[in-house]
Amino acid sequence: MSMKKVMVIGAGQMGSGIAQVHAMAGIDVILHDLKQEFVERGMATIQKNLNRQVEKGRLEEGERDAILGRLTTSTDLQNAKDVDLVIEAAVENMEIKSKLFADLDQIAPDHAILATNTSSLPITEIAAATNRPEKVIGMHFMNPVPVMKLVEIIRGLATTDEVYQAIEDLSRTLSKTPVEVNDFPGFVSNRILMPMINEAIYTVYEGVATPEAVDEVMKLGMNHPMGPLTLADFIGLDTCLYIMETLHDGFGDDKYRPCPLLRKYVKAGWLGKKTGRGFYVYE
Ligand code: CAA
């Protein structure tokens, strides 16, 4: 199954990164979002990333222009009518995703695979909104997408081997390393990462240490590139809370209860880097 044309839904941090790596791999990409200003912001991010590569002498200007030439923008879902693959990176809301997948199922050609970049929602439930659950799969990229090597590929209950193989092959084409996992809350990445972040927040909440101290311990002691609270700010505290709630609901186990301090920050609108304030203040 060759991927010649891909639609990426959602032009935020994840969607624009996903679009960029596909265009860099020679694939035509439609970057879709609800409003033109959203897709333009996503395109500006991609342009900035590519310009930095040119400045560093890693990319020729001509190559940059060719990559940008493979990207088109869309605010009309009907543009999915001739794609081989859709990768959805919209908001983490089951109702919105189910509606999107039901619509895409009507619009996209029969052979098209419908993938979701969800960080924790059940692939099987998203697939159930379509008449092609065998062609629905999780393709979970890590932030920042152009830098991080992992693609966590999640099989839904009905996903076929052929579809899994196509997505694994595509991930390698993108110069990423695919890892296969099954469909359980948080998959592998967030089932392990988020409880660690949540525990780091508890250590601050209980007065064990300051955010700076917690991050230093994990950076210098465990060789993590970022401390867990810096990482939480980078991911977005709303996303962290949402994933913890998904784990808590999905397993019904109190070990996944979100820290009250995390809830408080989200209620205050302190969502991390994107709002200028989380565990740290950003200029
Ligand atoms: N977009 C594109 N490129 C970026 C970038 C971004 N947002 N941020 C950094 N980079 C690039 C830089 O340009 C630089 O590239 P070159 O080597 O080509 O110059 C490279 O990444 C390294 O950047 P820096 O030297 O500025 O900084 P660093 O060495 O500290 O690396 C980092 C930055 C890669 C983000 C590193 O700190 C890191 O790996 N952090 C942890 C990231 C992580 O854990 N991500 C997973 C989050 S969880 C997730 O995404 C899943 C989920 O469901 C929540």
Side-chain angles (χ1 to χ4, degrees):
M1 219 185 274
S2 78
M3 303 292 177
K4 294 200 170 57
K5 196 168 183 183
V6 171
M7 175 182 267
V8 178
I9 297 184
Q13 216 174 18
M14 296 304 287
S16 62
I18 295 168
Q20 180 184 325
V21 295
H22 281 80
M24 288 178 78
I27 298 166
D28 288 330
V29 185
I30 305 170
L31 183 58
H32 173 93
D33 210 317
L34 293 172
K35 289 188 185 164
Q36 191 58 28
E37 61 183 279
F38 298 161
V39 282
E40 275 166 16
R41 208 179 305 152
M43 286 297 291
T45 304
I46 295 172
Q47 208 147 6
K48 201 175 87 195
N49 282 343
L50 295 176
N51 286 343
R52 202 170 48 219
Q53 297 296 321
V54 172
E55 280 158 25
K56 288 186 174 166
R58 298 205 186 107
L59 195 68
E60 299 281 329
E61 280 187 18
E63 283 175 85
R64 176 200 57 198
D65 296 343
I67 294 165
L68 290 172
R70 284 193 280 275
L71 283 152
T72 51
T73 62
S74 150
T75 52
D76 181 357
L77 210 57
Q78 291 298 330
N79 290 320
K81 65 183 184 304
D82 59 354
V83 300
D84 304 304
L85 167 69
V86 179
I87 304 174
E88 171 273 324
V91 291
E92 291 287 73
N93 174 305
M94 186 49 106
E95 222 174 291
I96 292 173
K97 287 199 200 288
S98 292
K99 167 87 172 69
L100 251 176
F101 273 72
D103 290 347
L104 287 166
D105 189 33
Q106 299 299 315
I107 299 166
D110 287 346
H111 76 275
I113 295 175
L114 306 181
T116 170
N117 178 57
T118 181
S119 52
S120 61
L121 290 172
I123 308 304
T124 306
E125 196 176 333
I126 296 172
T130 74
N131 292 311
R132 61 177 99 184
E134 72 287 353
K135 294 198 182 79
V136 177
I137 193 162
M139 199 177 182
H140 185 208
F141 291 83
M142 301 294 130
N143 192 10
V145 179
V147 181
M148 304 298 280
K149 285 283 164 209
L150 176 69
V151 179
E152 190 178 33
I153 305 180
I154 306 105
R155 282 178 183 266
L157 202 55
T159 312
T160 60
D161 290 343
E162 193 194 6
V163 167
Y164 175 81
Q165 197 56 53
I167 295 302
E168 188 181 286
D169 292 347
L170 171 65
S171 303
R172 292 194 204 283
T173 304
L174 304 176
S175 305
K176 303 283 183 204
T177 304
V179 176
E180 177 181 0
V181 313
N182 284 318
D183 186 20
F184 283 95
F187 317 131
V188 171
S189 56
N190 281 319
R191 182 165 176 179
I192 296 172
L193 174 67
M194 283 304 159
M196 183 193 70
I197 287 177
N198 196 46
E199 202 59 32
I201 301 170
Y202 265 110
T203 58
V204 173
Y205 175 65
E206 291 171 3
V208 179
T210 62
E212 290 81 359
V214 171
D215 279 352
E216 281 297 273
V217 166
M218 297 306 287
K219 263 190 351 189
L220 303 181
M222 283 71 187
N223 243 1
H224 289 192
M226 284 175 168
L229 299 169
T230 304
L231 183 57
D233 274 0
F234 176 64
I235 292 167
L237 300 187
D238 50 342
T239 303
C240 294
L241 177 58
Y242 189 78
I243 297 171
M244 281 313 293
E245 279 171 340
T246 305
L247 291 171
H248 198 200
D249 291 348
F251 290 114
D253 187 333
D254 271 356
K255 78 176 175 182
Y256 300 110
R257 71 209 181 286
C259 179
L261 187 62
L262 175 59
R263 286 195 191 285
K264 195 175 194 175
Y265 276 30
V266 172
K267 283 213 179 96
W270 294 10
L271 306 183
K273 213 171 166 190
K274 64 185 169 190
T275 57
R277 179 152 203 176
F279 288 97
Y280 299 95
V281 177
Y282 302 86
E283 295 307 323

Short mmCIF file of all heavy atoms in Angstrom, two decimals, residues 3-64:
data_model
loop_
_atom_site.label_atom_id
_atom_site.label_comp_id
_atom_site.label_asym_id
_atom_site.label_seq_id
_atom_site.Cartn_x
_atom_site.Cartn_y
_atom_site.Cartn_z
N MET A 3 1.70 5.28 0.02
CA MET A 3 1.05 6.50 0.49
C MET A 3 1.53 7.66 -0.38
O MET A 3 2.67 8.11 -0.22
CB MET A 3 1.42 6.78 1.95
CG MET A 3 1.08 5.67 2.89
SD MET A 3 -0.70 5.47 3.05
CE MET A 3 -0.74 4.04 4.13
N LYS A 4 0.68 8.12 -1.28
CA LYS A 4 1.08 9.23 -2.14
C LYS A 4 0.54 10.55 -1.62
O LYS A 4 1.14 11.60 -1.78
CB LYS A 4 0.59 8.98 -3.57
CG LYS A 4 1.28 7.78 -4.21
CD LYS A 4 1.16 7.84 -5.73
CE LYS A 4 2.03 6.80 -6.41
NZ LYS A 4 1.73 5.43 -5.94
N LYS A 5 -0.65 10.46 -1.03
CA LYS A 5 -1.29 11.69 -0.56
C LYS A 5 -1.91 11.46 0.82
O LYS A 5 -2.66 10.49 1.01
CB LYS A 5 -2.37 12.11 -1.57
CG LYS A 5 -2.84 13.52 -1.40
CD LYS A 5 -3.65 13.92 -2.61
CE LYS A 5 -4.10 15.34 -2.54
NZ LYS A 5 -4.96 15.70 -3.68
N VAL A 6 -1.59 12.36 1.73
CA VAL A 6 -2.03 12.21 3.12
C VAL A 6 -2.73 13.49 3.57
O VAL A 6 -2.29 14.58 3.22
CB VAL A 6 -0.79 11.95 4.01
CG1 VAL A 6 -1.14 12.00 5.49
CG2 VAL A 6 -0.15 10.61 3.68
N MET A 7 -3.81 13.34 4.32
CA MET A 7 -4.41 14.53 4.95
C MET A 7 -4.11 14.48 6.45
O MET A 7 -4.30 13.45 7.09
CB MET A 7 -5.93 14.58 4.74
CG MET A 7 -6.58 15.74 5.51
SD MET A 7 -8.36 15.82 5.33
CE MET A 7 -8.53 16.95 3.96
N VAL A 8 -3.62 15.60 6.98
CA VAL A 8 -3.40 15.71 8.43
C VAL A 8 -4.46 16.66 8.97
O VAL A 8 -4.58 17.80 8.49
CB VAL A 8 -1.98 16.24 8.75
CG1 VAL A 8 -1.80 16.39 10.26
CG2 VAL A 8 -0.92 15.29 8.19
N ILE A 9 -5.23 16.18 9.94
CA ILE A 9 -6.30 17.01 10.50
C ILE A 9 -5.86 17.60 11.83
O ILE A 9 -5.52 16.87 12.75
CB ILE A 9 -7.57 16.17 10.69
CG1 ILE A 9 -8.03 15.70 9.31
CG2 ILE A 9 -8.67 16.98 11.39
CD1 ILE A 9 -9.32 14.94 9.30
N GLY A 10 -5.85 18.94 11.89
CA GLY A 10 -5.36 19.64 13.08
C GLY A 10 -3.99 20.20 12.78
O GLY A 10 -3.05 19.47 12.49
N ALA A 11 -3.89 21.55 12.80
CA ALA A 11 -2.63 22.20 12.41
C ALA A 11 -1.90 22.76 13.62
O ALA A 11 -1.12 23.70 13.51
CB ALA A 11 -2.92 23.31 11.40
N GLY A 12 -2.16 22.16 14.79
CA GLY A 12 -1.46 22.61 16.00
C GLY A 12 -0.03 22.08 16.04
O GLY A 12 0.53 21.71 15.01
N GLN A 13 0.52 22.06 17.27
CA GLN A 13 1.90 21.63 17.48
C GLN A 13 2.15 20.23 16.86
O GLN A 13 3.12 20.04 16.13
CB GLN A 13 2.10 21.53 18.99
CG GLN A 13 3.46 21.92 19.45
CD GLN A 13 3.51 21.93 20.99
OE1 GLN A 13 2.66 21.34 21.68
NE2 GLN A 13 4.51 22.58 21.53
N MET A 14 1.26 19.27 17.14
CA MET A 14 1.46 17.90 16.66
C MET A 14 1.15 17.80 15.17
O MET A 14 1.95 17.26 14.41
CB MET A 14 0.58 16.92 17.45
CG MET A 14 0.90 16.82 18.91
SD MET A 14 2.62 16.38 19.25
CE MET A 14 2.66 14.65 18.81
N GLY A 15 0.00 18.33 14.76
CA GLY A 15 -0.42 18.21 13.36
C GLY A 15 0.58 18.83 12.39
O GLY A 15 0.91 18.24 11.36
N SER A 16 1.09 20.03 12.74
CA SER A 16 2.03 20.68 11.81
C SER A 16 3.32 19.87 11.73
O SER A 16 3.91 19.71 10.66
CB SER A 16 2.28 22.13 12.21
OG SER A 16 2.86 22.20 13.49
N GLY A 17 3.76 19.31 12.85
CA GLY A 17 4.96 18.46 12.84
C GLY A 17 4.75 17.21 11.99
O GLY A 17 5.63 16.80 11.23
N ILE A 18 3.58 16.61 12.12
CA ILE A 18 3.27 15.39 11.35
C ILE A 18 3.25 15.72 9.86
O ILE A 18 3.80 14.99 9.03
CB ILE A 18 1.92 14.78 11.83
CG1 ILE A 18 2.05 14.29 13.28
CG2 ILE A 18 1.49 13.65 10.92
CD1 ILE A 18 0.72 13.93 13.95
N ALA A 19 2.63 16.85 9.53
CA ALA A 19 2.59 17.28 8.12
C ALA A 19 4.02 17.51 7.60
O ALA A 19 4.37 17.07 6.50
CB ALA A 19 1.76 18.55 7.99
N GLN A 20 4.83 18.16 8.40
CA GLN A 20 6.21 18.47 7.98
C GLN A 20 6.99 17.20 7.66
O GLN A 20 7.64 17.11 6.61
CB GLN A 20 6.93 19.26 9.10
CG GLN A 20 8.36 19.59 8.72
CD GLN A 20 9.12 20.28 9.87
OE1 GLN A 20 8.54 21.05 10.62
NE2 GLN A 20 10.40 20.00 9.98
N VAL A 21 6.94 16.19 8.55
CA VAL A 21 7.77 15.00 8.32
C VAL A 21 7.28 14.21 7.10
O VAL A 21 8.10 13.58 6.41
CB VAL A 21 7.90 14.10 9.58
CG1 VAL A 21 8.64 14.83 10.68
CG2 VAL A 21 6.57 13.58 10.09
N HIS A 22 5.99 14.25 6.81
CA HIS A 22 5.50 13.58 5.60
C HIS A 22 5.99 14.30 4.35
O HIS A 22 6.47 13.67 3.40
CB HIS A 22 3.97 13.48 5.61
CG HIS A 22 3.46 12.38 6.48
ND1 HIS A 22 3.36 12.51 7.85
CD2 HIS A 22 3.07 11.11 6.20
CE1 HIS A 22 2.90 11.37 8.37
NE2 HIS A 22 2.73 10.51 7.38
N ALA A 23 5.86 15.63 4.36
CA ALA A 23 6.30 16.40 3.18
C ALA A 23 7.81 16.21 2.97
O ALA A 23 8.28 16.12 1.83
CB ALA A 23 5.95 17.87 3.35
N MET A 24 8.56 16.12 4.07
CA MET A 24 10.01 15.92 3.96
C MET A 24 10.34 14.55 3.37
O MET A 24 11.40 14.35 2.79
CB MET A 24 10.69 16.10 5.32
CG MET A 24 10.71 17.54 5.78
SD MET A 24 11.45 17.77 7.40
CE MET A 24 13.19 17.66 7.00
N ALA A 25 9.41 13.59 3.54
CA ALA A 25 9.64 12.24 3.01
C ALA A 25 9.11 12.11 1.58
O ALA A 25 9.05 11.00 1.04
CB ALA A 25 8.96 11.22 3.93
N GLY A 26 8.73 13.22 0.98
CA GLY A 26 8.31 13.20 -0.43
C GLY A 26 6.84 12.92 -0.66
O GLY A 26 6.42 12.62 -1.77
N ILE A 27 6.05 12.99 0.40
CA ILE A 27 4.61 12.68 0.29
C ILE A 27 3.81 13.99 0.20
O ILE A 27 4.12 14.96 0.90
CB ILE A 27 4.17 11.85 1.53
CG1 ILE A 27 4.94 10.53 1.56
CG2 ILE A 27 2.67 11.62 1.54
CD1 ILE A 27 4.87 9.79 2.88
N ASP A 28 2.80 13.99 -0.67
CA ASP A 28 1.92 15.17 -0.76
C ASP A 28 1.03 15.23 0.48
O ASP A 28 0.43 14.20 0.85
CB ASP A 28 1.05 15.10 -2.02
CG ASP A 28 1.87 15.34 -3.27
OD1 ASP A 28 2.88 16.07 -3.17
OD2 ASP A 28 1.54 14.76 -4.32
N VAL A 29 0.92 16.40 1.08
CA VAL A 29 0.17 16.52 2.33
C VAL A 29 -0.85 17.65 2.25
O VAL A 29 -0.54 18.75 1.78
CB VAL A 29 1.12 16.87 3.51
CG1 VAL A 29 0.35 16.88 4.83
CG2 VAL A 29 2.28 15.89 3.60
N ILE A 30 -2.05 17.36 2.72
CA ILE A 30 -3.06 18.42 2.90
C ILE A 30 -3.13 18.67 4.41
O ILE A 30 -3.44 17.75 5.17
CB ILE A 30 -4.45 17.96 2.41
CG1 ILE A 30 -4.40 17.48 0.96
CG2 ILE A 30 -5.46 19.08 2.58
CD1 ILE A 30 -5.70 16.79 0.50
N LEU A 31 -2.85 19.89 4.81
CA LEU A 31 -2.95 20.25 6.22
C LEU A 31 -4.32 20.90 6.44
O LEU A 31 -4.61 21.96 5.87
CB LEU A 31 -1.82 21.20 6.62
CG LEU A 31 -1.76 21.60 8.10
CD1 LEU A 31 -1.62 20.38 9.01
CD2 LEU A 31 -0.60 22.56 8.34
N HIS A 32 -5.15 20.22 7.24
CA HIS A 32 -6.55 20.65 7.39
C HIS A 32 -6.83 21.12 8.82
O HIS A 32 -6.38 20.51 9.78
CB HIS A 32 -7.47 19.47 7.05
CG HIS A 32 -8.91 19.73 7.32
ND1 HIS A 32 -9.78 20.22 6.37
CD2 HIS A 32 -9.65 19.61 8.46
CE1 HIS A 32 -10.98 20.38 6.91
NE2 HIS A 32 -10.92 20.01 8.18
N ASP A 33 -7.60 22.20 8.91
CA ASP A 33 -8.11 22.61 10.23
C ASP A 33 -9.43 23.34 10.03
O ASP A 33 -9.86 23.57 8.88
CB ASP A 33 -7.08 23.46 10.99
CG ASP A 33 -7.20 23.28 12.52
OD1 ASP A 33 -8.34 23.25 13.03
OD2 ASP A 33 -6.17 23.18 13.19
N LEU A 34 -10.06 23.74 11.13
CA LEU A 34 -11.38 24.35 11.02
C LEU A 34 -11.34 25.74 10.40
O LEU A 34 -12.25 26.13 9.69
CB LEU A 34 -12.01 24.45 12.42
CG LEU A 34 -12.36 23.12 13.10
CD1 LEU A 34 -12.77 23.37 14.55
CD2 LEU A 34 -13.46 22.41 12.33
N LYS A 35 -10.26 26.47 10.70
CA LYS A 35 -10.19 27.85 10.21
C LYS A 35 -8.90 28.08 9.46
O LYS A 35 -7.85 27.52 9.83
CB LYS A 35 -10.21 28.83 11.40
CG LYS A 35 -11.53 28.94 12.09
CD LYS A 35 -11.48 30.06 13.11
CE LYS A 35 -12.75 30.12 13.92
NZ LYS A 35 -12.59 30.93 15.12
N GLN A 36 -8.93 28.98 8.48
CA GLN A 36 -7.75 29.29 7.67
C GLN A 36 -6.60 29.82 8.55
O GLN A 36 -5.45 29.47 8.33
CB GLN A 36 -8.14 30.33 6.59
CG GLN A 36 -7.08 30.55 5.52
CD GLN A 36 -6.69 29.27 4.76
OE1 GLN A 36 -7.49 28.35 4.63
NE2 GLN A 36 -5.45 29.22 4.29
N GLU A 37 -6.97 30.61 9.57
CA GLU A 37 -5.88 31.16 10.42
C GLU A 37 -5.13 30.05 11.16
O GLU A 37 -3.93 30.16 11.40
CB GLU A 37 -6.44 32.20 11.42
CG GLU A 37 -7.47 31.61 12.36
CD GLU A 37 -8.09 32.65 13.30
OE1 GLU A 37 -7.47 32.97 14.31
OE2 GLU A 37 -9.20 33.11 12.99
N PHE A 38 -5.82 28.95 11.48
CA PHE A 38 -5.15 27.83 12.17
C PHE A 38 -4.16 27.15 11.22
O PHE A 38 -3.04 26.84 11.60
CB PHE A 38 -6.16 26.78 12.69
CG PHE A 38 -7.15 27.30 13.71
CD1 PHE A 38 -8.33 26.61 13.96
CD2 PHE A 38 -6.90 28.47 14.43
CE1 PHE A 38 -9.24 27.06 14.90
CE2 PHE A 38 -7.81 28.94 15.37
CZ PHE A 38 -8.98 28.23 15.60
N VAL A 39 -4.60 26.90 9.98
CA VAL A 39 -3.68 26.22 9.04
C VAL A 39 -2.52 27.14 8.69
O VAL A 39 -1.38 26.67 8.53
CB VAL A 39 -4.37 25.70 7.75
CG1 VAL A 39 -5.12 24.42 8.03
CG2 VAL A 39 -5.25 26.69 7.10
N GLU A 40 -2.79 28.44 8.63
CA GLU A 40 -1.69 29.37 8.31
C GLU A 40 -0.66 29.40 9.44
O GLU A 40 0.54 29.44 9.18
CB GLU A 40 -2.23 30.77 8.03
CG GLU A 40 -2.67 30.89 6.58
CD GLU A 40 -3.53 32.10 6.29
OE1 GLU A 40 -3.55 33.02 7.13
OE2 GLU A 40 -4.17 32.10 5.22
N ARG A 41 -1.14 29.31 10.68
CA ARG A 41 -0.20 29.27 11.81
C ARG A 41 0.64 27.99 11.75
O ARG A 41 1.84 28.01 11.97
CB ARG A 41 -0.99 29.32 13.13
CG ARG A 41 -0.19 29.95 14.26
CD ARG A 41 -0.99 30.00 15.55
NE ARG A 41 -2.27 30.68 15.41
CZ ARG A 41 -3.36 30.43 16.14
NH1 ARG A 41 -3.34 29.50 17.07
NH2 ARG A 41 -4.48 31.10 15.96
N GLY A 42 -0.01 26.89 11.41
CA GLY A 42 0.71 25.60 11.28
C GLY A 42 1.75 25.67 10.17
O GLY A 42 2.89 25.22 10.34
N MET A 43 1.36 26.27 9.05
CA MET A 43 2.30 26.39 7.91
C MET A 43 3.48 27.28 8.30
O MET A 43 4.62 27.02 7.90
CB MET A 43 1.58 26.98 6.69
CG MET A 43 0.65 26.01 5.99
SD MET A 43 1.48 24.58 5.31
CE MET A 43 2.41 25.32 4.00
N ALA A 44 3.21 28.33 9.07
CA ALA A 44 4.29 29.24 9.49
C ALA A 44 5.30 28.50 10.38
O ALA A 44 6.51 28.71 10.27
CB ALA A 44 3.70 30.44 10.24
N THR A 45 4.79 27.61 11.25
CA THR A 45 5.68 26.81 12.10
C THR A 45 6.58 25.92 11.24
O THR A 45 7.79 25.82 11.46
CB THR A 45 4.85 25.92 13.06
OG1 THR A 45 3.98 26.76 13.80
CG2 THR A 45 5.72 25.12 13.99
N ILE A 46 5.97 25.28 10.24
CA ILE A 46 6.74 24.39 9.36
C ILE A 46 7.81 25.19 8.63
O ILE A 46 8.98 24.80 8.56
CB ILE A 46 5.80 23.69 8.33
CG1 ILE A 46 4.82 22.77 9.07
CG2 ILE A 46 6.60 22.91 7.29
CD1 ILE A 46 3.72 22.18 8.21
N GLN A 47 7.41 26.35 8.11
CA GLN A 47 8.34 27.21 7.37
C GLN A 47 9.52 27.62 8.26
O GLN A 47 10.67 27.57 7.83
CB GLN A 47 7.59 28.45 6.91
CG GLN A 47 8.17 29.03 5.65
CD GLN A 47 7.07 29.66 4.79
OE1 GLN A 47 5.90 29.73 5.21
NE2 GLN A 47 7.43 30.09 3.60
N LYS A 48 9.20 27.97 9.50
CA LYS A 48 10.24 28.39 10.44
C LYS A 48 11.22 27.23 10.70
O LYS A 48 12.44 27.42 10.69
CB LYS A 48 9.58 28.83 11.77
CG LYS A 48 10.45 29.73 12.62
CD LYS A 48 9.70 30.24 13.83
CE LYS A 48 9.83 29.23 14.95
NZ LYS A 48 8.93 29.35 16.05
N ASN A 49 10.69 26.03 10.92
CA ASN A 49 11.54 24.85 11.16
C ASN A 49 12.45 24.58 9.97
O ASN A 49 13.64 24.29 10.13
CB ASN A 49 10.69 23.60 11.41
CG ASN A 49 10.13 23.56 12.82
OD1 ASN A 49 10.60 24.27 13.69
ND2 ASN A 49 9.12 22.75 13.03
N LEU A 50 11.88 24.68 8.76
CA LEU A 50 12.67 24.38 7.56
C LEU A 50 13.73 25.46 7.33
O LEU A 50 14.86 25.16 6.95
CB LEU A 50 11.75 24.24 6.33
CG LEU A 50 10.77 23.06 6.37
CD1 LEU A 50 9.86 23.10 5.15
CD2 LEU A 50 11.50 21.72 6.42
N ASN A 51 13.35 26.72 7.58
CA ASN A 51 14.32 27.81 7.42
C ASN A 51 15.51 27.62 8.35
O ASN A 51 16.65 27.90 7.98
CB ASN A 51 13.66 29.17 7.70
CG ASN A 51 12.75 29.59 6.56
OD1 ASN A 51 12.84 29.04 5.45
ND2 ASN A 51 11.86 30.53 6.81
N ARG A 52 15.22 27.13 9.57
CA ARG A 52 16.31 26.88 10.52
C ARG A 52 17.26 25.80 9.99
O ARG A 52 18.47 25.91 10.10
CB ARG A 52 15.73 26.45 11.87
CG ARG A 52 16.69 26.68 13.03
CD ARG A 52 16.04 26.48 14.38
NE ARG A 52 15.28 25.24 14.43
CZ ARG A 52 14.11 25.09 15.04
NH1 ARG A 52 13.54 26.11 15.64
NH2 ARG A 52 13.50 23.94 15.04
N GLN A 53 16.69 24.79 9.34
CA GLN A 53 17.52 23.73 8.74
C GLN A 53 18.39 24.30 7.62
O GLN A 53 19.54 23.92 7.46
CB GLN A 53 16.64 22.61 8.17
CG GLN A 53 15.80 21.87 9.19
CD GLN A 53 16.66 21.12 10.19
OE1 GLN A 53 17.68 20.54 9.85
NE2 GLN A 53 16.27 21.16 11.45
N VAL A 54 17.82 25.24 6.85
CA VAL A 54 18.58 25.88 5.76
C VAL A 54 19.72 26.70 6.35
O VAL A 54 20.87 26.60 5.91
CB VAL A 54 17.66 26.76 4.87
CG1 VAL A 54 18.48 27.57 3.87
CG2 VAL A 54 16.63 25.90 4.15
N GLU A 55 19.39 27.48 7.41
CA GLU A 55 20.43 28.32 8.05
C GLU A 55 21.57 27.47 8.59
O GLU A 55 22.72 27.88 8.57
CB GLU A 55 19.81 29.12 9.21
CG GLU A 55 19.06 30.35 8.76
CD GLU A 55 18.04 30.80 9.81
OE1 GLU A 55 18.23 30.49 11.01
OE2 GLU A 55 17.03 31.42 9.41
N LYS A 56 21.21 26.26 9.08
CA LYS A 56 22.25 25.39 9.63
C LYS A 56 22.99 24.61 8.55
O LYS A 56 23.85 23.77 8.86
CB LYS A 56 21.63 24.43 10.64
CG LYS A 56 21.23 25.12 11.92
CD LYS A 56 20.75 24.15 12.96
CE LYS A 56 20.50 24.87 14.28
NZ LYS A 56 19.75 24.07 15.22
N GLY A 57 22.61 24.84 7.29
CA GLY A 57 23.29 24.18 6.17
C GLY A 57 22.92 22.72 6.01
O GLY A 57 23.61 21.95 5.35
N ARG A 58 21.77 22.32 6.63
CA ARG A 58 21.36 20.90 6.54
C ARG A 58 20.36 20.66 5.41
O ARG A 58 20.03 19.53 5.09
CB ARG A 58 20.72 20.45 7.85
CG ARG A 58 21.66 20.54 9.01
CD ARG A 58 21.24 19.55 10.09
NE ARG A 58 22.07 19.73 11.25
CZ ARG A 58 21.66 20.31 12.37
NH1 ARG A 58 20.42 20.72 12.49
NH2 ARG A 58 22.48 20.46 13.38
N LEU A 59 19.87 21.77 4.86
CA LEU A 59 18.84 21.65 3.81
C LEU A 59 19.13 22.73 2.77
O LEU A 59 19.43 23.87 3.12
CB LEU A 59 17.47 21.89 4.48
CG LEU A 59 16.20 21.52 3.75
CD1 LEU A 59 16.08 20.01 3.61
CD2 LEU A 59 14.97 22.05 4.53
N GLU A 60 19.06 22.33 1.49
CA GLU A 60 19.23 23.31 0.41
C GLU A 60 17.94 24.14 0.31
O GLU A 60 16.85 23.63 0.61
CB GLU A 60 19.40 22.58 -0.93
CG GLU A 60 20.62 21.67 -1.00
CD GLU A 60 21.89 22.46 -1.25
OE1 GLU A 60 21.80 23.50 -1.92
OE2 GLU A 60 22.94 22.05 -0.74
N GLU A 61 18.10 25.39 -0.17
CA GLU A 61 16.89 26.22 -0.34
C GLU A 61 15.90 25.56 -1.30
O GLU A 61 14.69 25.60 -1.11
CB GLU A 61 17.28 27.60 -0.86
CG GLU A 61 17.79 28.49 0.25
CD GLU A 61 18.03 29.92 -0.20
OE1 GLU A 61 17.51 30.32 -1.25
OE2 GLU A 61 18.76 30.63 0.52
N GLY A 62 16.45 24.94 -2.35
CA GLY A 62 15.60 24.27 -3.34
C GLY A 62 14.80 23.12 -2.72
O GLY A 62 13.62 22.94 -3.04
N GLU A 63 15.47 22.36 -1.83
CA GLU A 63 14.78 21.25 -1.15
C GLU A 63 13.66 21.79 -0.27
O GLU A 63 12.57 21.23 -0.22
CB GLU A 63 15.76 20.48 -0.25
CG GLU A 63 16.71 19.54 -0.96
CD GLU A 63 17.70 18.97 0.05
OE1 GLU A 63 17.38 17.97 0.70
OE2 GLU A 63 18.80 19.56 0.20
N ARG A 64 13.98 22.88 0.45
CA ARG A 64 12.94 23.50 1.30
C ARG A 64 11.72 23.88 0.47
O ARG A 64 10.59 23.59 0.84
CB ARG A 64 13.51 24.75 2.00
CG ARG A 64 12.46 25.49 2.82
CD ARG A 64 12.85 26.92 3.10
NE ARG A 64 13.10 27.67 1.88
CZ ARG A 64 13.78 28.81 1.81
NH1 ARG A 64 14.27 29.34 2.91
NH2 ARG A 64 13.97 29.43 0.66
#
